[in-house]
Amino acid sequence: MSVAGAESRIKQARKIQDEELLKFCAQISNLLNNQDYGTETLDSLQKLYLIIAVTKYSRKLTKEGIEKLESTLCWPKTTEQIQTLCAAILREISPCDHLTLSVSDCLDTKVLSLVFSVLLAQGNRKDEVHSVGQRVVKLLESRLPEGQSLRYLFPVLSKVIKLSPAILNEDQVNMINKKFVDWLRYASVQQGVLVSSGGFFSGSRTRQPGPINEVDGAVAADFFTVLSIGNYYTEDQWMNVHVFSMLRKWLLCYGSDVITGDDADIKSESEGSVMSMVSAASTSSRLLPPKERLREKALEYCLRLIEQSDRKAIKKLDSDLQKACLIEAVYLMDIICQQDSSFVYRAFSCLKALYSRICGDFAFARVILPIAQFFLRHSEMAAVESEAVYRHLFTKLPPELFHDSMFAFEFVQFCRENEKLLGETVSNFRQNFPNLLKFLAWHSPALIAEFVELLPALIVPETAIEMLHSLLDLPCMTAVLDVQLRSQSIPFNEKAPVDHNLKPSSSLEAFRHPYYRSMFLYILRGESGAGDTIDRLNLLHEVLLDMVNHSRILQCAQTVPILLQVYFNVVSEFADGTLINQLVLVLLERSSLLFNIKAFKTEVHRVFSSQLLVLCKLHPSVIVEQSKELLEFCGTVTNIQSKENFFTHIVWAIGEYLSVAYNEKCTVEIITRFFEALEALLFEITQLRPSASVPRHHPRVITVLMTTLSKLASRSQDLIPRVSLFLSKIRPFARSSAVASTYAEEDIEELLSRASELMNLLNLPNIAQFVLAPSAEHANPRYHRDTNVSLPLAMRTMTKLLQRGTNSVPG
Amino acid sequence: MVHAFLINTLSCSTGGTESLCRVLYSQTFGSERSESRNKDPEEERCYRKEQIFAVARQVKSACTLSRQAMGKSLSAFAFPPSDEVVALQEADFGVFRLPPGDPFSESKTVLWLGIQSVGFALVCDPYENLMLAENSLKMIVRYLLEYLRLLSQGSDIMLKADKIEIILNKFLPCGQLLFINHRFVYSIERELNICISK
């Protein structure tokens, strides 16, 4: 299917000038005036449509041209193709103030529906919605002439009530309610006859029409529905289809008591409703007002559909329709029960039976979702046990159907729309979050926006750490799911000899290898609470390396940083000191344990860096509480190379929060140990041995290390001489040829100026303490407004002192 | 109900230079409820077109990402499918949600179907019966492939608006999805054959 031709057509059409277009329109008008509906007219109209449709800027047609199109549309002798094109062109130029079409222009309902579609495209400038609505209602009330069908009007009615439900008054609504009852429940159960258009050979070959059948070929067991099969259909059977197709919308608009106000009078049911078969379950509902009667009949229709869906359809199209009908029936029953809770018991007994019938068949999985929605909404009222449904939904279905894009989407929508209720009443919702994550892992681009909204509802303190690990391992989960699927399609010869001491050479082999199996199963788990993560995660990452470049995994990896942001936003609201400690540990541990995708690691580190600062701000004593792990982290030079950004932030946090002010347990010993570790690190990266390679770190690493060391020294003043000595060595380092060739001039200047600032500061220990390690109170505005203790005063004093040299006495 | 139906171009490449996304056909079924009466008609039309373009671009990127994820390479598009049934079986299919305001005033669900370099999309209202929408989209595309001869070489989709409109008027009148079984479909097909030739 080549679309290269399309490109050139679009360009050609856009190039047509206005005068050319007007001439072309005049030609078309001529042809239409002569009632020439042949190929030339057809081609010209198609070109005109194209010219107007390809650009978002309006193309001018003359008033006469527009009028010609309008009159051709309504002219009875026009062909359907020409009429359709005229309507399409008029719709394409809409909204347009020059349109003079009105609702009473013609009588043919098929053409009328085209006219209405053009009018509805005007955007209600002249109250078109109202006039179209009223005309449709009048037509529904009246008897149409022979050959006309009402069925073209239902979609228009459906559109009108969507745009403006207030258009119909109570009487009109009741009139339509009554007609709907007839068409829905009492349509003919005999097959229609082929309406032959006459002609020489149409003799009296009208066959005796037989009864309607079910989808499996049996004779119809009860009243007519959309699942009834016949060779030809009568007019009221068409109405049955159309009414059912718009029933949900109608009930939502006019079915509840709120909108229609008080109940209509109970009119006697004297309208001639044709009843071909009486349903055994029909109650004496004839005395009910129209709205309530429609509700009753709608419920009967749904029950019938559910019964009909149990039959094995001969045609695939029909079996697909059965599933769609089931879903619609459950939606309808949900609405009916919301509008009148006396239906709940009947509905429940039917839906429980339906659920038992289909829960074992994955082909009907999408029907389980509306059933679960119904249970969620009404089970409390009916005091019905619904645990089994939710359990089945959250534990059994996702592992089987995560790869089905429609099921995944609908499942996630269900969760998102009901998150509050699910969170309060259904334990499986949060307990089975690993199963929910499978949908995201497989369909990342389509579902990321939904999960950004859904994720906050899934995060609770009890499973927060496990959730963090799971989010970090999402790409890994995608890989594992892929391996699982492949493994199902490639037969596994269990009897073939396998040497289990050999390392597996591919992810598929590893999946079948007993040593790795438990790791795979952990990732595939459906329930949380079995453990936050596994010990040998790095081994699992290794055997999955052959999948690291798969598009699906890369797509998933791109979504993780976004989810991490959402996660931390939520967690920081409720995290206490203990949880923050655990989180920081996870950050430290996982920073070197991420699936080996370069961009993924960089982005995750970026999130870790910013979130580390947030966590420290919330609970500053975490630095002292986790001093052991942090020391270990700082002692490893490779950490600088592999995660420079994150490392820099850790060092900064240490400088900021490793102090008695934030945690009484911060002893001089701890400060000294950190000092020594960082000093050794700084020493190593600023060495100028001839064999040392050119520095590969960003100069910011060096400045942050210097500043942190100075901060620590200002708190434990014995360390000051060591720092000063070190700082004095920065100058030769910065001026060396190796550094000069790697770092930019501004960076080197920055290094040098920072080193000298710090050195000068450290010469005044008390001032240094104030500047480098201010207590939290100093952020208080009081310190800036009170003339006795304000920071500006201190700054001014300090500046004077520094300018005068170290011998002055502060005062 | 369905708010709009569109046909747009998709890229057949799985990377490299991306071609522009072109809307080959679109129909919006009526206006949105919130459209203001005071807006200049040209502005309103322009805005509606831009909304459709926005959807087309998202369909294109969704289809591209989906094809990448399934590992479909360029060679998959070298040989067009032999008939409509095969084409539909091999088609790429997906769904995504448009949040309110972006680009329509209320939230919408988009179902898309991609065959070679052409994409077809239904923009549905929220809480629509997606199973019915999916079945309807596949059926409409089947008829479009057949009556527009889209699978044959050198077919031109752009000057066949009348056929597309007639097919849509029958199977998706005014944007209403219909619960039609195979006999109703057959009836409609007979009506189709009367007004257009294949």
Side-chain angles (χ1 to χ4, degrees):
Chain A
M1 280 159 77
S2 141
V3 291
E7 184 74 29
S8 68
R9 282 225 188 274
I10 293 176
K11 292 209 170 96
Q12 265 180 331
R14 285 182 178 170
K15 279 209 197 95
I16 305 253
Q17 300 297 326
D18 284 343
E19 305 89 49
E20 220 182 311
L21 179 61
L22 289 174
K23 252 192 264 167
F24 187 50
C25 286
Q27 275 174 359
I28 296 177
S29 292
N30 263 340
L31 289 167
L32 292 174
N33 263 330
N34 299 335
Q35 295 189 16
D36 176 355
Y37 303 133
T39 28
E40 193 192 337
T41 318
L42 197 61
D43 283 346
S44 309
L45 283 172
Q46 278 168 346
K47 287 203 181 84
L48 180 60
Y49 173 83
L50 182 67
I51 294 169
I52 297 172
V54 292
T55 166
K56 65 183 184 184
Y57 300 111
S58 300
R59 302 287 278 198
K60 297 277 180 290
L61 293 181
T62 57
K63 258 176 77 174
E64 296 77 35
I66 294 176
E67 272 169 24
K68 196 74 237 162
L69 289 169
E70 289 172 351
S71 56
T72 309
L73 172 58
C74 301
W75 184 243
K77 301 250 175 50
T78 328
T79 64
E80 193 165 339
Q81 272 173 298
I82 302 277
Q83 276 173 334
T84 312
L85 271 174
C86 289
I89 294 169
L90 290 170
R91 212 184 301 122
E92 262 304 314
I93 60 173
S94 299
C96 172
D97 287 331
H98 301 304
L99 239 58
T100 55
L101 270 182
S102 80
V103 292
S104 47
D105 271 349
C106 52
L107 298 169
D108 183 317
T109 50
K110 211 196 277 184
V111 174
L112 259 183
S113 68
L114 288 175
V115 169
F116 291 155
S117 72
V118 173
L119 287 172
L120 288 177
Q122 299 309 312
N124 212 21
R125 314 182 97 71
K126 297 183 193 150
D127 234 357
E128 288 91 352
V129 178
H130 179 88
S131 38
V132 167
Q134 289 301 316
R135 182 88 164 101
V136 168
V137 169
K138 289 237 165 25
L139 285 165
L140 284 174
E141 273 179 318
S142 61
R143 264 194 89 80
L144 288 183
E146 196 63 45
Q148 295 290 319
S149 169
L150 281 176
R151 67 175 158 124
Y152 304 106
L153 301 176
F154 289 95
V156 181
L157 179 65
S158 189
K159 189 88 215 175
V160 158
I161 66 175
K162 177 185 178 239
L163 289 173
S164 177
I167 282 190
L168 304 182
N169 62 40
E170 204 180 306
D171 287 333
Q172 291 171 324
V173 170
N174 281 334
M175 182 271 295
I176 295 181
N177 277 337
K178 288 196 202 130
K179 293 211 176 249
F180 276 12
V181 164
D182 280 344
W183 287 322
L184 209 52
R185 184 61 183 75
Y186 301 112
S188 163
V189 283
Q190 299 294 314
Q191 293 192 27
V193 204
L194 174 59
V195 177
S196 81
S197 46
F200 191 70
F201 292 104
S202 74
S204 48
R205 278 198 284 127
T206 46
R207 273 177 267 132
Q208 196 55 257
I212 289 290
N213 290 335
E214 303 284 354
V215 289
D216 59 0
V219 173
D222 207 334
F223 58 89
F224 184 92
T225 70
V226 295
L227 287 174
S228 300
I229 308 289
N231 283 324
Y232 308 106
Y233 290 108
T234 61
E235 171 77 355
D236 61 341
Q237 287 166 347
W238 272 105
M239 316 289 221
N240 185 290
V241 170
H242 278 273
V243 170
F244 180 69
S245 300
M246 66 176 278
L247 187 59
R248 194 155 43 114
K249 175 138 327 106
W250 181 264
L251 287 181
L252 277 171
C253 255
Y254 301 113
S256 84
D257 293 325
V258 179
I259 295 182
T260 46
D262 48 327
D263 290 343
D265 321 81
I266 299 173
K267 295 196 178 108
S268 65
E269 296 300 317
S270 54
E271 276 92 340
S273 48
V274 178
M275 278 175 62
S276 316
M277 284 176 106
V278 178
S279 166
S282 180
T283 59
S284 57
S285 58
R286 297 173 125 221
L287 296 173
L288 287 173
K291 185 176 70 187
E292 280 74 3
R293 193 145 179 255
L294 179 60
R295 230 183 257 151
E296 167 83 40
K297 296 305 165 190
L299 185 76
E300 282 177 24
Y301 200 100
C302 294
L303 297 177
R304 171 105 167 97
L305 281 180
I306 291 176
E307 173 247 313
Q308 282 177 304
S309 302
D310 202 8
R311 296 168 181 269
K312 185 112 177 50
I314 300 174
K315 295 266 180 192
K316 181 171 186 300
L317 199 148
D318 292 342
S319 68
D320 289 340
L321 183 65
Q322 280 175 313
K323 296 190 183 94
C325 285
L326 276 177
I327 292 175
E328 189 74 10
V330 180
Y331 281 153
L332 272 167
M333 285 162 82
D334 190 357
I335 293 169
I336 292 170
C337 289
Q338 281 178 63
Q339 294 176 346
D340 184 347
S341 47
S342 68
F343 286 108
V344 170
Y345 294 100
R346 261 170 93 185
F348 252 119
S349 60
C350 168
L351 287 178
K352 275 200 293 189
L354 174 62
Y355 172 76
S356 319
R357 211 176 84 204
I358 63 174
C359 65
D361 188 351
F362 289 123
F364 285 87
R366 282 167 72 181
V367 186
I368 305 271
L369 287 166
I371 294 180
Q373 172 83 71
F374 185 93
F375 274 67
L376 207 54
R377 208 170 262 147
H378 302 284
S379 60
E380 202 180 303
M381 206 242 142
V384 165
E385 252 309 304
S386 37
E387 286 296 314
V389 178
Y390 306 136
R391 201 170 37 244
H392 180 78
L393 188 64
F394 283 99
T395 59
K396 292 276 175 323
L397 298 181
E400 286 295 327
L401 297 169
F402 63 85
H403 50 83
D404 179 334
S405 55
M406 291 301 298
F407 181 75
F409 179 81
E410 290 183 309
F411 198 113
V412 174
Q413 290 307 322
F414 166 75
C415 290
R416 210 177 47 84
E417 281 155 17
N418 296 290
E419 61 179 44
K420 194 159 180 300
L421 212 47
L422 285 170
E424 285 164 11
T425 57
V426 179
S427 60
N428 292 99
F429 175 56
R430 292 198 176 116
Q431 220 173 303
N432 292 102
F433 78 75
N435 266 344
L436 294 179
L437 289 179
K438 287 180 181 147
F439 294 123
L440 178 63
W442 200 255
H443 306 278
S444 322
L447 294 179
I448 177 63
E450 318 304 316
F451 265 89
V452 163
E453 285 185 36
L454 179 61
L455 189 61
L458 296 171
I459 302 174
V460 285
E462 297 80 35
T463 51
I465 297 294
E466 190 183 347
M467 172 68 83
L468 180 54
H469 281 289
S470 303
L471 290 176
L472 291 168
D473 276 324
L474 263 178
C476 188
M477 185 189 271
T478 313
V480 169
L481 290 171
D482 189 278
V483 174
Q484 185 193 37
L485 278 179
R486 275 188 291 136
S487 161
Q488 279 164 4
S489 57
I490 298 174
F492 180 37
N493 189 349
E494 302 233 3
K495 299 203 184 76
V498 177
D499 185 354
H500 288 155
N501 292 320
L502 270 182
K503 241 181 126 154
S505 58
S506 75
S507 44
L508 188 58
E509 255 183 60
F511 185 69
R512 295 164 172 169
H513 196 292
Y515 180 70
Y516 292 91
R517 188 120 183 110
S518 56
M519 296 188 230
F520 280 94
L521 289 179
Y522 175 78
I523 301 285
L524 289 172
R525 73 198 186 288
E527 208 173 306
S528 64
D532 294 336
T533 182
I534 46 177
D535 285 336
R536 300 161 291 162
L537 193 60
N538 55 327
L539 292 177
L540 182 62
H541 286 180
E542 255 176 58
V543 295
L544 290 172
L545 275 178
D546 62 348
M547 305 205 53
V548 134
N549 287 319
H550 284 209
S551 299
R552 199 182 290 277
I553 290 153
L554 292 173
Q555 286 171 6
C556 179
Q558 287 178 343
T559 64
V560 174
I562 307 168
L563 293 166
L564 288 177
Q565 283 292 148
V566 174
Y567 171 86
F568 280 109
N569 283 347
V570 175
V571 157
S572 56
E573 307 254 309
F574 62 69
D576 61 357
T578 326
L579 186 58
I580 292 184
N581 267 290
Q582 289 176 306
L583 287 168
V584 169
L585 273 180
V586 173
L587 294 186
L588 287 175
E589 182 197 328
R590 295 304 304 256
S591 61
S592 33
L593 189 55
L594 293 171
F595 206 45
N596 194 14
I597 303 169
K598 193 157 183 305
F600 173 64
K601 291 205 272 202
T602 314
E603 287 306 310
V604 172
H605 287 153
R606 198 194 301 271
V607 177
F608 278 8
S609 308
S610 58
Q611 292 307 325
L612 174 75
L613 301 184
V614 170
L615 292 173
C616 288
K617 195 128 194 236
L618 283 173
H619 185 69
S621 52
V622 66
I623 295 291
V624 176
E625 285 158 11
Q626 297 301 333
S627 51
K628 188 162 159 295
E629 275 73 19
L630 285 166
L631 261 175
E632 218 180 288
F633 187 86
C634 295
T636 325
V637 179
T638 48
N639 278 338
I640 308 182
Q641 287 149 8
S642 58
K643 34 184 146 351
E644 194 178 285
N645 191 16
F646 186 55
F647 178 82
T648 315
H649 282 77
I650 294 266
V651 172
W652 186 87
I654 292 171
E656 194 68 7
Y657 298 109
L658 190 73
S659 138
V660 139
Y662 292 110
N663 188 329
E664 301 141 350
K665 302 210 188 81
C666 180
T667 59
V668 166
E669 207 198 320
I670 294 180
I671 296 184
T672 314
R673 262 191 270 145
F674 270 100
F675 184 90
E676 282 168 358
L678 294 174
E679 188 190 34
L681 214 52
L682 187 54
F683 183 67
E684 182 149 352
I685 64 176
T686 54
Q687 280 191 81
L688 287 175
R689 291 175 308 207
S691 58
S693 46
V694 161
R696 283 165 295 160
H697 325 289
H698 194 279
R700 196 171 59 140
V701 179
I702 301 177
T703 46
V704 142
L705 278 166
M706 290 193 305
T707 314
T708 299
L709 285 170
S710 309
K711 285 179 183 171
L712 294 180
S714 72
R715 287 173 205 146
S716 172
Q717 302 187 350
D718 308 331
L719 300 166
I720 293 187
R722 282 164 78 169
V723 186
S724 299
L725 183 61
F726 200 100
L727 290 171
S728 61
K729 299 215 182 109
I730 291 292
R731 181 168 285 271
F733 166 75
R735 287 292 175 217
S736 72
S737 57
V739 172
S741 63
T742 329
Y743 290 160
E745 187 56 36
E746 312 83 74
D747 292 334
I748 297 179
E749 283 304 320
E750 181 64 38
L751 262 177
L752 289 171
S753 73
R754 179 65 70 96
S756 74
E757 276 167 16
L758 289 169
M759 259 201 321
N760 289 335
L761 259 181
L762 288 172
N763 283 334
L764 305 162
N766 292 334
I767 306 290
Q769 193 167 26
F770 186 74
V771 172
L772 292 173
S775 69
E777 300 168 317
H778 293 145
N780 190 317
R782 176 171 166 252
Y783 278 88
H784 302 273
R785 282 194 243 123
D786 188 324
T787 44
N788 290 330
V789 294
S790 70
L791 186 59
L793 176 66
M795 297 288 296
R796 265 182 262 128
T797 316
M798 202 180 74
T799 319
K800 283 199 205 117
L801 290 172
L802 288 171
Q803 282 168 352
R804 266 188 258 152
T806 53
N807 290 327
S808 310
V809 172
Chain B
M1 289 197 85
V2 173
H3 177 75
F5 171 81
L6 57 131
I7 307 179
N8 63 293
T9 57
L10 303 169
S11 61
C12 273
S13 63
T14 49
T17 50
E18 287 292 313
S19 50
L20 266 178
C21 176
R22 295 280 185 205
V23 173
L24 300 174
Y25 172 85
S26 76
Q27 186 181 154
T28 308
F29 301 102
S31 49
E32 280 193 273
R33 193 188 318 198
S34 61
E35 275 176 11
S36 84
R37 299 183 189 202
N38 298 327
K39 234 197 218 164
D40 173 37
E42 288 186 20
E43 252 183 61
E44 214 175 297
R45 180 177 180 276
C46 188
Y47 182 65
R48 281 189 209 165
K49 283 285 190 193
E50 284 175 350
Q51 286 175 322
I52 297 291
F53 290 155
V55 176
R57 281 193 300 268
Q58 289 198 45
V59 166
K60 179 172 179 224
S61 82
C63 187
T64 311
L65 287 169
S66 170
R67 285 172 172 173
Q68 277 175 357
M70 288 200 282
K72 282 195 174 171
S73 63
L74 258 172
S75 61
F77 303 115
F79 302 105
S82 45
D83 65 20
E84 293 82 34
V85 175
V86 173
L88 275 174
Q89 278 169 355
E90 293 174 359
D92 306 295
F93 186 79
V95 57
F96 58 86
R97 189 176 73 106
L98 295 170
D102 182 19
F104 300 100
S105 57
E106 58 169 13
S107 162
K108 303 265 182 238
T109 307
V110 178
L111 269 82
W112 58 265
L113 199 147
I115 298 184
Q116 299 256 305
S117 52
V118 181
F120 305 85
L122 278 182
V123 179
C124 301
D125 289 335
Y127 310 114
E128 184 53 80
N129 185 326
L130 290 179
M131 179 125 239
L132 182 68
E134 185 189 339
N135 296 343
S136 306
L137 178 60
K138 289 183 174 157
M139 185 158 51
I140 290 171
V141 170
R142 204 192 93 212
Y143 281 99
L144 286 175
L145 289 178
E146 211 181 298
Y147 283 81
L148 271 59
R149 296 177 175 282
L150 288 177
L151 295 178
S152 51
Q153 283 286 57
S155 71
D156 189 358
I157 201 177
M158 302 221 67
L159 286 174
K160 299 189 181 165
D162 59 326
K163 291 189 179 168
I164 303 177
E165 292 259 335
I166 291 180
I167 291 173
L168 285 179
N169 285 344
K170 300 266 176 235
F171 288 106
L172 195 59
C174 222
Q176 175 75 58
L177 291 166
L178 296 174
F179 287 88
I180 39 180
N181 60 49
H182 81 276
R183 287 309 301 189
F184 277 106
V185 170
Y186 183 66
S187 268
I188 295 176
E189 203 181 304
R190 262 210 334 270
E191 290 171 16
L192 227 101
N193 285 328
I194 293 173
C195 38
I196 49 178
S197 53
K198 287 197 199 170

